[in-house]
Amino acid sequence: MSETIAAIRAELKSARFDDERLAIWRTDERAGVQASLKAFDRRIEKEAKQKADFMTRFAFESQLWTQGFQAIAGVDEVGRGPLAGPVVAAAVSLPPDFDCYGVIDSKQLSEKVRDELVTAIKEKAVAYGVGVVSAERIDEINIYEASREAMKAAVLAMDVPADYLLVDAMVVDLPLPQEKLIKGDARSNSIGAASILAKVTRDAMMVAYDEQYPGYDFGHNDGYGTKAHLAALNRLGPCPIHRRSFAPVRKLLS
């Protein structure tokens, strides 16, 4: 008796079968089986491309590993644009055998995927660190310098000191060899991992701030100037984590 289409579909999704069984299924003329095989082939092709792209994004790290560097840290920040909350940076040093193929610029990923990946990043990284600079400090030194300060703090927070930095579009104020990569979070796995860690960390902080300062919807807008956020800002005025040096907030204080 032949296997049911549902059983074959389930096995194809689980990927727990050998080449001999796959060859047998390919001779099965039932439309449902052929449709399941097509879906399987598309998934395998997508995964192969994802892996190939991932390996391409290890090009900078691979070259540096061959030069003898062992703790190459990718560095990135999130939160330069919001009207409220801190700017958060992360530094992540990945091992050569790191294989979480979904790691890329956090802006390209859903919240669910970011949450899944950040757990793997923390488990498999050689080291990682996070740096946070408050809204008050941003107002003191400007957002660009605050971002650099957060990046420096993230690198210094790593348990294993970095010996080389790959930085997304900036230079970190540390006496370490480093390379500034434009759109680095989409070109380097280490920077991509840092962007994910920084984003997940900051999002969690904004959810906590939403409870502390209700009414601005920080848990959903992350402090960005959405229409609803601007309306709340005009209605309630700035709260302690609003950036007073940013125009929409400064206007209310003048």
Side-chain angles (χ1 to χ4, degrees):
M1 184 176 178
S2 62
E3 294 178 89
T4 65
I5 294 173
I8 293 173
R9 184 183 298 118
E11 291 225 40
L12 285 169
K13 287 182 178 180
S14 71
R16 291 193 297 269
F17 53 84
D18 54 31
D19 291 342
E20 183 178 351
R21 294 190 71 194
L22 181 59
I24 292 172
W25 293 333
R26 291 198 185 280
T27 65
D28 193 319
E29 297 180 355
R30 287 177 292 176
V33 174
Q34 292 304 310
S36 297
L37 285 166
K38 285 182 180 179
F40 168 78
D41 289 338
R42 284 195 299 269
R43 188 177 83 244
I44 295 301
E45 183 179 352
K46 180 180 179 180
E47 290 173 354
K49 184 180 185 306
Q50 186 181 48
K51 181 177 179 180
D53 291 345
F54 174 86
M55 296 311 297
T56 298
R57 294 194 299 274
F58 252 152
F60 295 103
E61 290 89 342
S62 296
Q63 184 176 18
L64 291 165
W65 283 321
T66 62
Q67 295 173 19
F69 294 102
Q70 297 182 347
I72 304 155
V75 188
D76 199 6
E77 52 73 32
V78 296
R80 291 181 69 170
L83 304 179
V87 60
V88 176
V92 178
S93 177
L94 299 176
D97 62 352
F98 184 76
D99 60 355
C100 295
Y101 302 134
V103 165
I104 196 170
D105 169 19
S106 63
K107 295 185 291 296
Q108 300 185 34
L109 304 172
S110 68
E111 180 180 357
K112 179 177 182 294
V113 171
R114 286 195 300 266
D115 289 343
E116 292 172 352
L117 286 172
V118 81
T119 300
I121 289 167
K122 289 180 176 180
E123 289 177 351
K124 299 183 179 184
V126 173
Y128 64 87
V130 173
V132 179
V133 173
S134 70
E136 183 179 9
R137 181 63 173 162
I138 291 169
D139 290 336
E140 290 176 3
I141 61 175
N142 76 53
I143 186 59
Y144 180 81
E145 292 302 329
S147 297
R148 294 183 70 220
E149 196 168 277
M151 287 180 164
K152 180 177 180 179
V155 174
L156 294 177
M158 300 174 71
D159 289 338
V160 178
D163 56 12
Y164 197 99
L165 305 180
L166 294 172
V167 190
D168 186 43
M170 298 183 78
V171 175
V172 181
D173 186 22
L174 286 170
L176 286 169
Q178 55 190 281
E179 184 171 359
K180 177 174 70 173
L181 298 178
I182 303 302
K183 296 184 178 179
D185 46 11
R187 299 170 63 195
S188 158
N189 289 325
S190 299
I191 299 177
S195 77
I196 293 169
L197 176 56
K199 172 67 174 167
V200 171
T201 301
R202 188 178 189 278
D203 284 356
M205 294 179 70
M206 295 309 295
V207 168
Y209 280 132
D210 195 13
E211 295 183 5
Q212 188 174 357
Y213 305 110
Y216 302 96
D217 201 26
F218 290 143
H220 292 98
N221 61 41
D222 298 326
Y224 284 89
T226 63
K227 184 177 180 180
H229 183 186
L230 291 172
L233 185 59
N234 279 282
R235 185 176 69 255
L236 302 172
C239 76
I241 66 163
H242 275 103
R243 301 173 182 179
R244 269 105 178 119
S245 58
F246 280 42
V249 183
R250 188 174 64 243
K251 183 174 66 175
L252 294 175
L253 301 172
S254 60

